[in-house]
Structure formats: C-alpha cells, structure tokens
mmCIF file of all heavy atoms in Angstrom:
data_model
loop_
_atom_site.group_PDB
_atom_site.id
_atom_site.type_symbol
_atom_site.label_atom_id
_atom_site.label_comp_id
_atom_site.label_asym_id
_atom_site.label_seq_id
_atom_site.Cartn_x
_atom_site.Cartn_y
_atom_site.Cartn_z
ATOM 1 N N ASN A 1 0.839 -1.192 0.000
ATOM 2 C CA ASN A 1 0.000 0.000 0.000
ATOM 3 C C ASN A 1 0.877 1.246 0.000
ATOM 4 O O ASN A 1 1.997 1.235 0.510
ATOM 5 C CB ASN A 1 -0.914 0.049 1.228
ATOM 6 C CG ASN A 1 -2.050 -0.944 1.156
ATOM 7 O OD1 ASN A 1 -2.402 -1.426 0.087
ATOM 8 N ND2 ASN A 1 -2.628 -1.255 2.304
ATOM 9 N N PHE A 2 0.333 2.315 -0.573
ATOM 10 C CA PHE A 2 0.992 3.623 -0.563
ATOM 11 C C PHE A 2 -0.008 4.651 -0.086
ATOM 12 O O PHE A 2 -1.154 4.692 -0.564
ATOM 13 C CB PHE A 2 1.504 3.991 -1.952
ATOM 14 C CG PHE A 2 2.076 5.377 -2.036
ATOM 15 C CD1 PHE A 2 3.379 5.634 -1.644
ATOM 16 C CD2 PHE A 2 1.310 6.438 -2.499
ATOM 17 C CE1 PHE A 2 3.907 6.907 -1.701
ATOM 18 C CE2 PHE A 2 1.832 7.716 -2.565
ATOM 19 C CZ PHE A 2 3.134 7.958 -2.173
ATOM 20 N N LYS A 3 0.415 5.508 0.860
ATOM 21 C CA LYS A 3 -0.466 6.544 1.392
ATOM 22 C C LYS A 3 0.266 7.874 1.467
ATOM 23 O O LYS A 3 1.444 7.912 1.847
ATOM 24 C CB LYS A 3 -0.941 6.180 2.807
ATOM 25 C CG LYS A 3 -1.748 4.904 2.916
ATOM 26 C CD LYS A 3 -2.100 4.633 4.372
ATOM 27 C CE LYS A 3 -2.876 3.346 4.539
ATOM 28 N NZ LYS A 3 -3.185 3.065 5.973
ATOM 29 N N ILE A 4 -0.421 8.946 1.113
ATOM 30 C CA ILE A 4 0.076 10.292 1.387
ATOM 31 C C ILE A 4 -0.553 10.738 2.698
ATOM 32 O O ILE A 4 -1.773 10.811 2.823
ATOM 33 C CB ILE A 4 -0.271 11.261 0.243
ATOM 34 C CG1 ILE A 4 0.531 10.884 -1.008
ATOM 35 C CG2 ILE A 4 0.024 12.702 0.649
ATOM 36 C CD1 ILE A 4 0.224 11.729 -2.216
ATOM 37 N N THR A 5 0.279 11.010 3.688
ATOM 38 C CA THR A 5 -0.227 11.334 5.019
ATOM 39 C C THR A 5 -0.323 12.831 5.276
ATOM 40 O O THR A 5 -1.060 13.261 6.166
ATOM 41 C CB THR A 5 0.668 10.689 6.096
ATOM 42 O OG1 THR A 5 2.028 11.130 5.916
ATOM 43 C CG2 THR A 5 0.622 9.166 5.977
ATOM 44 N N ASP A 6 0.415 13.626 4.507
ATOM 45 C CA ASP A 6 0.332 15.083 4.669
ATOM 46 C C ASP A 6 0.850 15.739 3.404
ATOM 47 O O ASP A 6 1.817 15.253 2.794
ATOM 48 C CB ASP A 6 1.157 15.546 5.874
ATOM 49 C CG ASP A 6 0.935 17.021 6.174
ATOM 50 O OD1 ASP A 6 -0.226 17.466 6.172
ATOM 51 O OD2 ASP A 6 1.923 17.750 6.392
ATOM 52 N N ILE A 7 0.202 16.843 2.999
ATOM 53 C CA ILE A 7 0.636 17.542 1.787
ATOM 54 C C ILE A 7 0.335 19.026 1.940
ATOM 55 O O ILE A 7 -0.719 19.406 2.462
ATOM 56 C CB ILE A 7 -0.063 16.950 0.534
ATOM 57 C CG1 ILE A 7 0.538 17.524 -0.750
ATOM 58 C CG2 ILE A 7 -1.569 17.137 0.580
ATOM 59 C CD1 ILE A 7 0.151 16.751 -1.999
ATOM 60 N N LYS A 8 1.282 19.860 1.539
ATOM 61 C CA LYS A 8 1.121 21.308 1.620
ATOM 62 C C LYS A 8 1.241 21.879 0.212
ATOM 63 O O LYS A 8 2.314 21.875 -0.394
ATOM 64 C CB LYS A 8 2.176 21.922 2.547
ATOM 65 C CG LYS A 8 2.020 21.508 4.012
ATOM 66 C CD LYS A 8 3.085 22.133 4.878
ATOM 67 C CE LYS A 8 2.829 21.876 6.354
ATOM 68 N NZ LYS A 8 2.842 20.441 6.690
ATOM 69 N N TRP A 9 0.116 22.372 -0.307
ATOM 70 C CA TRP A 9 0.058 22.877 -1.670
ATOM 71 C C TRP A 9 0.516 24.327 -1.737
ATOM 72 O O TRP A 9 0.293 25.109 -0.817
ATOM 73 C CB TRP A 9 -1.371 22.812 -2.209
ATOM 74 C CG TRP A 9 -1.927 21.428 -2.370
ATOM 75 C CD1 TRP A 9 -2.831 20.800 -1.570
ATOM 76 C CD2 TRP A 9 -1.616 20.513 -3.416
ATOM 77 N NE1 TRP A 9 -3.101 19.547 -2.048
ATOM 78 C CE2 TRP A 9 -2.375 19.342 -3.181
ATOM 79 C CE3 TRP A 9 -0.774 20.548 -4.530
ATOM 80 C CZ2 TRP A 9 -2.326 18.222 -4.010
ATOM 81 C CZ3 TRP A 9 -0.716 19.448 -5.356
ATOM 82 C CH2 TRP A 9 -1.482 18.306 -5.100
ATOM 83 N N ILE A 10 1.159 24.684 -2.846
ATOM 84 C CA ILE A 10 1.433 26.083 -3.160
ATOM 85 C C ILE A 10 1.120 26.323 -4.626
ATOM 86 O O ILE A 10 1.227 25.416 -5.466
ATOM 87 C CB ILE A 10 2.887 26.498 -2.859
ATOM 88 C CG1 ILE A 10 3.878 25.666 -3.668
ATOM 89 C CG2 ILE A 10 3.189 26.389 -1.377
ATOM 90 C CD1 ILE A 10 5.305 26.169 -3.539
ATOM 91 N N PHE A 11 0.694 27.541 -4.928
ATOM 92 C CA PHE A 11 0.332 27.920 -6.288
ATOM 93 C C PHE A 11 1.488 28.683 -6.913
ATOM 94 O O PHE A 11 2.102 29.535 -6.268
ATOM 95 C CB PHE A 11 -0.916 28.808 -6.264
ATOM 96 C CG PHE A 11 -1.360 29.281 -7.620
ATOM 97 C CD1 PHE A 11 -2.127 28.469 -8.432
ATOM 98 C CD2 PHE A 11 -1.012 30.539 -8.075
ATOM 99 C CE1 PHE A 11 -2.550 28.910 -9.672
ATOM 100 C CE2 PHE A 11 -1.424 30.987 -9.315
ATOM 101 C CZ PHE A 11 -2.201 30.166 -10.123
ATOM 102 N N GLY A 12 1.826 28.374 -8.150
ATOM 103 C CA GLY A 12 2.915 29.095 -8.787
ATOM 104 C C GLY A 12 3.031 28.802 -10.261
ATOM 105 O O GLY A 12 2.516 27.810 -10.768
ATOM 106 N N GLU A 13 3.696 29.701 -10.943
ATOM 107 C CA GLU A 13 4.021 29.539 -12.356
ATOM 108 C C GLU A 13 5.529 29.315 -12.446
ATOM 109 O O GLU A 13 6.294 30.020 -11.796
ATOM 110 C CB GLU A 13 3.620 30.780 -13.148
ATOM 111 C CG GLU A 13 3.840 30.656 -14.640
ATOM 112 C CD GLU A 13 3.450 31.932 -15.357
ATOM 113 O OE1 GLU A 13 3.132 32.925 -14.682
ATOM 114 O OE2 GLU A 13 3.494 31.924 -16.594
ATOM 115 N N PHE A 14 5.963 28.368 -13.215
ATOM 116 C CA PHE A 14 7.369 28.023 -13.207
ATOM 117 C C PHE A 14 7.763 27.432 -14.563
ATOM 118 O O PHE A 14 6.926 27.027 -15.361
ATOM 119 C CB PHE A 14 7.674 26.990 -12.120
ATOM 120 C CG PHE A 14 7.193 25.610 -12.487
ATOM 121 C CD1 PHE A 14 8.083 24.652 -12.913
ATOM 122 C CD2 PHE A 14 5.847 25.296 -12.434
ATOM 123 C CE1 PHE A 14 7.643 23.380 -13.279
ATOM 124 C CE2 PHE A 14 5.401 24.030 -12.791
ATOM 125 C CZ PHE A 14 6.299 23.068 -13.218
ATOM 126 N N LYS A 15 9.076 27.405 -14.773
ATOM 127 C CA LYS A 15 9.625 26.705 -15.924
ATOM 128 C C LYS A 15 10.348 25.476 -15.411
ATOM 129 O O LYS A 15 11.263 25.572 -14.599
ATOM 130 C CB LYS A 15 10.589 27.604 -16.697
ATOM 131 C CG LYS A 15 11.153 26.941 -17.947
ATOM 132 C CD LYS A 15 12.048 27.893 -18.722
ATOM 133 C CE LYS A 15 12.600 27.228 -19.975
ATOM 134 N NZ LYS A 15 13.496 28.138 -20.728
ATOM 135 N N ARG A 16 9.937 24.290 -15.879
ATOM 136 C CA ARG A 16 10.525 23.045 -15.396
ATOM 137 C C ARG A 16 12.007 22.995 -15.745
ATOM 138 O O ARG A 16 12.415 23.322 -16.851
ATOM 139 C CB ARG A 16 9.792 21.860 -16.023
ATOM 140 C CG ARG A 16 10.150 20.524 -15.383
ATOM 141 C CD ARG A 16 9.354 19.411 -16.056
ATOM 142 N NE ARG A 16 7.941 19.568 -15.821
ATOM 143 C CZ ARG A 16 7.301 19.052 -14.773
ATOM 144 N NH1 ARG A 16 7.976 18.370 -13.880
ATOM 145 N NH2 ARG A 16 6.011 19.230 -14.629
ATOM 146 N N PRO A 17 12.856 22.580 -14.807
ATOM 147 C CA PRO A 17 14.294 22.490 -15.079
ATOM 148 C C PRO A 17 14.587 21.560 -16.253
ATOM 149 O O PRO A 17 13.954 20.503 -16.392
ATOM 150 C CB PRO A 17 14.857 21.913 -13.776
ATOM 151 C CG PRO A 17 13.858 22.260 -12.739
ATOM 152 C CD PRO A 17 12.533 22.228 -13.413
ATOM 153 N N ASP A 18 15.520 21.953 -17.086
ATOM 154 C CA ASP A 18 15.891 21.171 -18.270
ATOM 155 C C ASP A 18 17.021 20.222 -17.891
ATOM 156 O O ASP A 18 18.199 20.528 -18.040
ATOM 157 C CB ASP A 18 16.315 22.109 -19.402
ATOM 158 C CG ASP A 18 16.513 21.371 -20.717
ATOM 159 O OD1 ASP A 18 16.225 20.155 -20.766
ATOM 160 O OD2 ASP A 18 16.946 21.997 -21.700
ATOM 161 N N MET A 19 16.649 19.060 -17.385
ATOM 162 C CA MET A 19 17.612 18.026 -17.002
ATOM 163 C C MET A 19 17.466 16.870 -17.987
ATOM 164 O O MET A 19 16.369 16.348 -18.182
ATOM 165 C CB MET A 19 17.342 17.532 -15.584
ATOM 166 C CG MET A 19 17.337 18.602 -14.515
ATOM 167 S SD MET A 19 18.966 19.313 -14.202
ATOM 168 C CE MET A 19 19.874 17.877 -13.686
ATOM 169 N N ILE A 20 18.568 16.470 -18.618
ATOM 170 C CA ILE A 20 18.492 15.387 -19.592
ATOM 171 C C ILE A 20 19.383 14.224 -19.160
ATOM 172 O O ILE A 20 20.403 14.412 -18.509
ATOM 173 C CB ILE A 20 18.881 15.850 -21.012
ATOM 174 C CG1 ILE A 20 20.341 16.294 -21.052
ATOM 175 C CG2 ILE A 20 17.955 16.959 -21.493
ATOM 176 C CD1 ILE A 20 20.871 16.431 -22.462
ATOM 177 N N VAL A 21 18.943 13.033 -19.543
ATOM 178 C CA VAL A 21 19.699 11.811 -19.267
ATOM 179 C C VAL A 21 20.360 11.358 -20.553
ATOM 180 O O VAL A 21 19.704 11.250 -21.597
ATOM 181 C CB VAL A 21 18.779 10.699 -18.725
ATOM 182 C CG1 VAL A 21 19.573 9.420 -18.472
ATOM 183 C CG2 VAL A 21 18.077 11.168 -17.456
ATOM 184 N N GLY A 22 21.659 11.124 -20.490
ATOM 185 C CA GLY A 22 22.403 10.709 -21.671
ATOM 186 C C GLY A 22 22.527 9.205 -21.762
ATOM 187 O O GLY A 22 21.545 8.467 -21.605
ATOM 188 N N GLU A 23 23.736 8.725 -21.979
ATOM 189 C CA GLU A 23 23.965 7.302 -22.196
ATOM 190 C C GLU A 23 23.635 6.485 -20.952
ATOM 191 O O GLU A 23 23.758 6.946 -19.822
ATOM 192 C CB GLU A 23 25.419 7.050 -22.604
ATOM 193 C CG GLU A 23 26.454 7.483 -21.592
ATOM 194 C CD GLU A 23 26.885 8.925 -21.729
ATOM 195 O OE1 GLU A 23 26.224 9.676 -22.476
ATOM 196 O OE2 GLU A 23 27.871 9.298 -21.076
ATOM 197 N N ARG A 24 23.209 5.233 -21.199
ATOM 198 C CA ARG A 24 22.916 4.275 -20.128
ATOM 199 C C ARG A 24 23.609 2.965 -20.496
ATOM 200 O O ARG A 24 23.262 2.345 -21.495
ATOM 201 C CB ARG A 24 21.417 4.054 -19.981
ATOM 202 C CG ARG A 24 20.630 5.338 -19.873
ATOM 203 C CD ARG A 24 19.143 5.091 -19.879
ATOM 204 N NE ARG A 24 18.417 6.322 -20.121
ATOM 205 C CZ ARG A 24 17.117 6.487 -19.919
ATOM 206 N NH1 ARG A 24 16.400 5.484 -19.450
ATOM 207 N NH2 ARG A 24 16.529 7.634 -20.179
ATOM 208 N N ASN A 25 24.553 2.560 -19.687
ATOM 209 C CA ASN A 25 25.347 1.374 -19.979
ATOM 210 C C ASN A 25 25.215 0.384 -18.831
ATOM 211 O O ASN A 25 25.701 0.627 -17.726
ATOM 212 C CB ASN A 25 26.816 1.762 -20.182
ATOM 213 C CG ASN A 25 27.683 0.563 -20.513
ATOM 214 O OD1 ASN A 25 27.203 -0.448 -21.036
ATOM 215 N ND2 ASN A 25 28.961 0.658 -20.201
ATOM 216 N N LEU A 26 24.541 -0.746 -19.089
ATOM 217 C CA LEU A 26 24.327 -1.775 -18.079
ATOM 218 C C LEU A 26 25.278 -2.931 -18.339
ATOM 219 O O LEU A 26 25.342 -3.453 -19.445
ATOM 220 C CB LEU A 26 22.875 -2.260 -18.127
ATOM 221 C CG LEU A 26 22.437 -3.259 -17.053
ATOM 222 C CD1 LEU A 26 22.439 -2.595 -15.683
ATOM 223 C CD2 LEU A 26 21.053 -3.807 -17.378
ATOM 224 N N LYS A 27 26.011 -3.363 -17.301
ATOM 225 C CA LYS A 27 27.013 -4.402 -17.538
ATOM 226 C C LYS A 27 27.274 -5.222 -16.278
ATOM 227 O O LYS A 27 26.998 -4.782 -15.158
ATOM 228 C CB LYS A 27 28.326 -3.773 -18.000
ATOM 229 C CG LYS A 27 28.934 -2.790 -17.018
ATOM 230 C CD LYS A 27 30.180 -2.128 -17.588
ATOM 231 C CE LYS A 27 30.831 -1.179 -16.597
ATOM 232 N NZ LYS A 27 32.038 -0.535 -17.150
ATOM 233 N N LYS A 28 27.820 -6.441 -16.490
ATOM 234 C CA LYS A 28 28.297 -7.274 -15.394
ATOM 235 C C LYS A 28 29.732 -6.881 -15.076
ATOM 236 O O LYS A 28 30.501 -6.531 -15.964
ATOM 237 C CB LYS A 28 28.251 -8.754 -15.783
ATOM 238 C CG LYS A 28 26.857 -9.339 -15.898
ATOM 239 C CD LYS A 28 26.900 -10.841 -16.103
ATOM 240 C CE LYS A 28 27.578 -11.216 -17.408
ATOM 241 N NZ LYS A 28 27.548 -12.677 -17.651
ATOM 242 N N MET A 29 30.094 -7.012 -13.787
ATOM 243 C CA MET A 29 31.428 -6.593 -13.385
ATOM 244 C C MET A 29 32.420 -7.734 -13.264
ATOM 245 O O MET A 29 33.608 -7.517 -13.198
ATOM 246 C CB MET A 29 31.355 -5.835 -12.049
ATOM 247 C CG MET A 29 30.731 -4.460 -12.162
ATOM 248 S SD MET A 29 31.565 -3.379 -13.360
ATOM 249 C CE MET A 29 33.135 -3.138 -12.550
ATOM 250 N N ASP A 30 31.953 -9.007 -13.218
ATOM 251 C CA ASP A 30 32.886 -10.121 -13.159
ATOM 252 C C ASP A 30 32.257 -11.335 -13.812
ATOM 253 O O ASP A 30 31.060 -11.371 -14.085
ATOM 254 C CB ASP A 30 33.318 -10.420 -11.720
ATOM 255 C CG ASP A 30 32.147 -10.791 -10.821
ATOM 256 O OD1 ASP A 30 31.441 -11.764 -11.123
ATOM 257 O OD2 ASP A 30 31.947 -10.098 -9.811
ATOM 258 N N GLU A 31 33.071 -12.344 -14.083
ATOM 259 C CA GLU A 31 32.614 -13.517 -14.809
ATOM 260 C C GLU A 31 31.566 -14.307 -14.045
ATOM 261 O O GLU A 31 30.745 -15.004 -14.632
ATOM 262 C CB GLU A 31 33.808 -14.418 -15.131
ATOM 263 C CG GLU A 31 34.811 -13.798 -16.097
ATOM 264 C CD GLU A 31 35.971 -14.718 -16.382
ATOM 265 O OE1 GLU A 31 36.013 -15.810 -15.769
ATOM 266 O OE2 GLU A 31 36.823 -14.354 -17.210
ATOM 267 N N ASN A 32 31.571 -14.227 -12.734
ATOM 268 C CA ASN A 32 30.612 -14.956 -11.922
ATOM 269 C C ASN A 32 29.294 -14.205 -11.729
ATOM 270 O O ASN A 32 28.402 -14.694 -11.036
ATOM 271 C CB ASN A 32 31.222 -15.262 -10.548
ATOM 272 C CG ASN A 32 32.440 -16.158 -10.651
ATOM 273 O OD1 ASN A 32 32.462 -17.088 -11.463
ATOM 274 N ND2 ASN A 32 33.457 -15.867 -9.849
ATOM 275 N N GLY A 33 29.180 -13.041 -12.341
ATOM 276 C CA GLY A 33 27.947 -12.259 -12.213
ATOM 277 C C GLY A 33 27.709 -11.741 -10.814
ATOM 278 O O GLY A 33 26.577 -11.644 -10.352
ATOM 279 N N GLY A 34 28.794 -11.405 -10.119
ATOM 280 C CA GLY A 34 28.675 -10.990 -8.733
ATOM 281 C C GLY A 34 28.094 -9.610 -8.543
ATOM 282 O O GLY A 34 27.619 -9.279 -7.464
ATOM 283 N N LYS A 35 28.125 -8.769 -9.582
ATOM 284 C CA LYS A 35 27.615 -7.414 -9.457
ATOM 285 C C LYS A 35 27.164 -6.898 -10.814
ATOM 286 O O LYS A 35 27.808 -7.127 -11.825
ATOM 287 C CB LYS A 35 28.692 -6.492 -8.864
ATOM 288 C CG LYS A 35 28.197 -5.078 -8.608
ATOM 289 C CD LYS A 35 29.141 -4.288 -7.713
ATOM 290 C CE LYS A 35 30.445 -3.965 -8.387
ATOM 291 N NZ LYS A 35 31.261 -3.018 -7.600
ATOM 292 N N THR A 36 26.028 -6.195 -10.821
ATOM 293 C CA THR A 36 25.530 -5.527 -12.015
ATOM 294 C C THR A 36 25.690 -4.025 -11.830
ATOM 295 O O THR A 36 25.328 -3.484 -10.776
ATOM 296 C CB THR A 36 24.048 -5.870 -12.272
ATOM 297 O OG1 THR A 36 23.926 -7.264 -12.508
ATOM 298 C CG2 THR A 36 23.512 -5.112 -13.473
ATOM 299 N N VAL A 37 26.209 -3.352 -12.843
ATOM 300 C CA VAL A 37 26.499 -1.919 -12.756
ATOM 301 C C VAL A 37 25.793 -1.172 -13.881
ATOM 302 O O VAL A 37 25.793 -1.619 -15.033
ATOM 303 C CB VAL A 37 28.021 -1.658 -12.826
ATOM 304 C CG1 VAL A 37 28.313 -0.161 -12.923
ATOM 305 C CG2 VAL A 37 28.708 -2.239 -11.607
ATOM 306 N N LEU A 38 25.183 -0.040 -13.525
ATOM 307 C CA LEU A 38 24.587 0.856 -14.507
ATOM 308 C C LEU A 38 25.365 2.168 -14.500
ATOM 309 O O LEU A 38 25.477 2.822 -13.467
ATOM 310 C CB LEU A 38 23.119 1.126 -14.178
ATOM 311 C CG LEU A 38 22.413 2.158 -15.063
ATOM 312 C CD1 LEU A 38 22.286 1.659 -16.498
ATOM 313 C CD2 LEU A 38 21.045 2.522 -14.494
ATOM 314 N N GLU A 39 25.898 2.528 -15.674
ATOM 315 C CA GLU A 39 26.590 3.804 -15.837
ATOM 316 C C GLU A 39 25.686 4.747 -16.629
ATOM 317 O O GLU A 39 25.176 4.380 -17.692
ATOM 318 C CB GLU A 39 27.913 3.607 -16.574
ATOM 319 C CG GLU A 39 28.894 2.706 -15.831
ATOM 320 C CD GLU A 39 30.111 2.357 -16.657
ATOM 321 O OE1 GLU A 39 30.010 2.407 -17.908
ATOM 322 O OE2 GLU A 39 31.155 2.030 -16.072
ATOM 323 N N ILE A 40 25.482 5.951 -16.107
ATOM 324 C CA ILE A 40 24.633 6.925 -16.782
ATOM 325 C C ILE A 40 25.305 8.299 -16.746
ATOM 326 O O ILE A 40 26.283 8.517 -16.023
ATOM 327 C CB ILE A 40 23.242 7.045 -16.127
ATOM 328 C CG1 ILE A 40 23.365 7.651 -14.712
ATOM 329 C CG2 ILE A 40 22.527 5.702 -16.088
ATOM 330 C CD1 ILE A 40 22.048 8.073 -14.106
ATOM 331 N N SER A 41 24.744 9.213 -17.539
ATOM 332 C CA SER A 41 25.143 10.619 -17.440
ATOM 333 C C SER A 41 23.887 11.475 -17.367
ATOM 334 O O SER A 41 22.855 11.143 -17.960
ATOM 335 C CB SER A 41 25.998 11.041 -18.638
ATOM 336 O OG SER A 41 25.249 11.025 -19.839
ATOM 337 N N VAL A 42 23.988 12.561 -16.612
ATOM 338 C CA VAL A 42 22.888 13.512 -16.450
ATOM 339 C C VAL A 42 23.444 14.909 -16.633
ATOM 340 O O VAL A 42 24.505 15.246 -16.096
ATOM 341 C CB VAL A 42 22.228 13.373 -15.063
ATOM 342 C CG1 VAL A 42 21.152 14.435 -14.876
ATOM 343 C CG2 VAL A 42 21.647 11.984 -14.876
ATOM 344 N N GLN A 43 22.716 15.744 -17.411
ATOM 345 C CA GLN A 43 23.192 17.104 -17.665
ATOM 346 C C GLN A 43 22.130 18.117 -17.277
ATOM 347 O O GLN A 43 20.941 17.957 -17.574
ATOM 348 C CB GLN A 43 23.560 17.291 -19.138
ATOM 349 C CG GLN A 43 24.162 18.666 -19.436
ATOM 350 C CD GLN A 43 24.639 18.797 -20.870
ATOM 351 O OE1 GLN A 43 24.325 17.963 -21.716
ATOM 352 N NE2 GLN A 43 25.400 19.840 -21.144
ATOM 353 N N ASN A 44 22.582 19.184 -16.626
ATOM 354 C CA ASN A 44 21.726 20.320 -16.290
ATOM 355 C C ASN A 44 21.810 21.333 -17.422
ATOM 356 O O ASN A 44 22.773 22.074 -17.540
ATOM 357 C CB ASN A 44 22.195 20.947 -14.971
ATOM 358 C CG ASN A 44 21.411 22.196 -14.612
ATOM 359 O OD1 ASN A 44 20.346 22.466 -15.171
ATOM 360 N ND2 ASN A 44 21.927 22.962 -13.666
ATOM 361 N N ARG A 45 20.788 21.356 -18.265
ATOM 362 C CA ARG A 45 20.786 22.276 -19.409
ATOM 363 C C ARG A 45 20.028 23.564 -19.110
ATOM 364 O O ARG A 45 19.814 24.367 -20.017
ATOM 365 C CB ARG A 45 20.200 21.588 -20.642
ATOM 366 C CG ARG A 45 21.008 20.406 -21.139
ATOM 367 C CD ARG A 45 20.770 20.105 -22.597
ATOM 368 N NE ARG A 45 19.359 19.910 -22.895
ATOM 369 C CZ ARG A 45 18.893 19.522 -24.086
ATOM 370 N NH1 ARG A 45 19.736 19.281 -25.078
ATOM 371 N NH2 ARG A 45 17.595 19.364 -24.280
ATOM 372 N N SER A 46 19.628 23.762 -17.860
ATOM 373 C CA SER A 46 18.979 25.012 -17.505
ATOM 374 C C SER A 46 20.026 26.099 -17.287
ATOM 375 O O SER A 46 21.228 25.833 -17.316
ATOM 376 C CB SER A 46 18.135 24.827 -16.237
ATOM 377 O OG SER A 46 18.975 24.709 -15.111
#
C-alpha cells in the first residue's frame, strides 16, 4: 500500500528544469555475475 499522510500545496508559475539523461550502460562486473552496474550521465541544461 501507498499513502500520502500530509501535503502542503502552493500555487505558482514556473519553468521546469531542463535536465536530460544521456547514455545508459548496463554491464556485469565479473565472470561470476557478482555485481551488475549501470553507468549513466545527467546534464543540467537550464
């Protein structure tokens, strides 16, 4: 279950931040599959 127990609203006009996600590289780190690694990049274009 998911519940919102409290929320405080505010009214406003805004420009959403320009954040982009670049490359996503998913890989195993050893021959035995002991760890899975995700490499990503994120850029703030605002």
Side-chain angles (χ1 to χ4, degrees):
N1 287 340
F2 175 82
K3 298 178 182 178
I4 292 177
T5 57
D6 188 45
I7 189 166
K8 294 180 173 62
W9 295 104
I10 60 172
F11 179 82
E13 184 181 6
F14 75 103
K15 182 177 180 181
R16 191 179 295 271
D18 188 5
M19 304 291 300
I20 64 166
V21 179
E23 60 272 12
R24 309 174 195 194
N25 181 25
L26 185 67
K27 59 184 182 180
K28 290 188 297 183
M29 288 304 293
D30 60 58
E31 294 180 357
N32 297 321
K35 184 166 69 171
T36 297
V37 172
L38 175 66
E39 298 172 336
I40 67 168
S41 67
V42 176
Q43 184 175 13
N44 176 15
R45 296 204 305 186
S46 73

